[in-house]
Amino acid sequence: MAVDSQSKIQNDWLHSSVSQGAFLDDKIVGGEQVSIDTFPYQVSLQYYGKHICGGTILNPQHIVTAAHCTNGLRARYFTVRAGSSEHVRGGQLVQVDRIHQHPLYNTQPLDYDVTVLKLKKPLIMGNGVMAVNLVPADTALTPGTVGFISGWGYQQEGGQVSDRLYAVGVPIIDKDSCRKIYGNTNNVITERMICAGYNEGGKDSCQGDSGGPFVANGNLIGIVSWGYGCARVGIPGVYTNVADENISRFIRLLANF
């Protein structure tokens, strides 16, 4: 399916959900259950057979996720499930061959939070299994732009991983406002990060969504990274900025773009 068509399907889903009041439900947090056919680039990253993070298909043999999902762990115990709305069954289950974690990844703050995974064998592309487009490097991400986050993470803070795939739309907020929220220091919100969420809270990614996609206008613009709690009032989620030149170059180099 063409990227433009996929973007239209997601926007139609968003508009339909808003009109039906679906975002009032306490899902992803604040979203609704969706089909993998609407978010075919989404994968479940599993360690010892258990879902721990999300990921995004770059091409048949490469997945991008967050570095904090792989830090200190061995590739041999990771698998990726693609093409299923459930992380426990269906679709394709493929073992990870190599972990390429950004060499500048840092936990304080959680910076350069990106890993590219090479799979042992290529995914079979088709319905429910499609690569995402990367946003061009140095693209200015406009505050107010609504992007889609998806995953199997907690449906509420302190909850548990969902069996089914959920998604929600959240707007980008400007970096200066986000820095003030997170302590007014450049050492917390760096150029490798973008923030998104509603001031009133209620819609957000949560534990278990880490490493998953943040997509706007058919392009991967972010990777679920970190935040204080889930969907709290006045506290946006923080995402690895895929448009940042350093992040973009790393992903493209390791995934053979």
Side-chain angles (χ1 to χ4, degrees):
M1 184 182 295
V3 171
D4 288 344
S5 298
Q6 191 63 48
S7 181
K8 182 179 184 303
I9 288 173
Q10 291 176 348
N11 281 308
D12 288 346
W13 165 78
L14 173 65
H15 296 152
S16 174
S17 299
V18 170
S19 67
Q20 296 171 19
F23 288 165
L24 298 178
D25 294 338
D26 193 26
K27 306 300 183 186
I28 182 182
V29 181
E32 66 172 31
Q33 187 173 303
V34 295
S35 168
I36 195 67
D37 291 329
T38 310
F39 296 85
Y41 46 76
Q42 171 85 53
V43 301
S44 166
L45 180 60
Q46 308 191 357
Y47 195 62
Y48 282 102
K50 302 289 185 181
H51 172 85
I52 63 166
C53 281
T56 307
I57 300 172
L58 297 171
N59 57 44
Q61 208 158 4
H62 292 92
I63 306 294
V64 66
T65 187
H68 76 262
C69 293
T70 61
N71 192 41
L73 303 179
R74 294 185 178 183
R76 62 193 293 186
Y77 302 121
F78 276 107
T79 51
V80 163
R81 188 180 300 277
S84 178
S85 301
E86 302 178 63
H87 63 81
V88 295
R89 63 178 63 87
Q92 304 172 47
L93 190 65
V94 179
Q95 190 170 354
V96 171
D97 183 40
R98 295 180 185 175
I99 296 172
H100 298 289
Q101 187 170 296
H102 199 291
L104 297 180
Y105 170 66
N106 187 9
T107 59
Q108 294 296 332
L110 202 60
D111 205 1
Y112 293 93
D113 191 15
V114 57
T115 283
V116 174
L117 304 171
K118 183 180 179 182
L119 304 180
K120 281 205 167 182
K121 64 179 182 179
L123 294 169
I124 300 171
M125 309 301 274
N127 290 339
V129 184
M130 294 178 61
V132 74
N133 277 348
L134 291 181
V135 64
D138 290 330
T139 296
L141 302 177
T142 307
T145 299
V146 174
F148 301 92
I149 47 178
S150 51
W152 291 272
Y154 293 6
Q155 297 175 359
Q156 61 184 10
E157 191 172 331
Q160 59 185 1
V161 171
S162 169
D163 290 335
R164 302 282 300 185
L165 183 64
Y166 283 82
V168 70
V170 291
I172 296 171
I173 70 169
D174 71 90
K175 196 159 292 184
D176 288 341
S177 296
C178 192
R179 283 177 174 143
K180 290 178 181 177
I181 291 168
Y182 278 106
N184 200 26
T185 167
N186 290 339
N187 290 326
V188 175
I189 303 299
T190 73
E191 291 305 312
R192 273 78 55 193
M193 303 173 193
I194 53 176
C195 303
Y198 290 95
N199 188 56
E200 62 270 27
K203 303 175 179 69
D204 198 1
S205 53
C206 203
Q207 283 82 6
D209 293 319
S210 287
F214 183 31
V215 172
N217 299 319
N219 293 318
L220 182 70
I221 63 170
I223 300 165
V224 179
S225 185
W226 63 279
Y228 290 166
C230 305
R232 294 185 182 181
V233 174
I235 307 292
V238 183
Y239 303 81
T240 303
N241 182 3
V242 175
D244 175 79
E245 183 179 359
N246 294 299
I247 300 297
S248 180
R249 185 190 306 118
F250 174 80
I251 293 173
R252 293 173 189 277
L253 176 65
L254 272 301
N256 300 320
F257 271 69

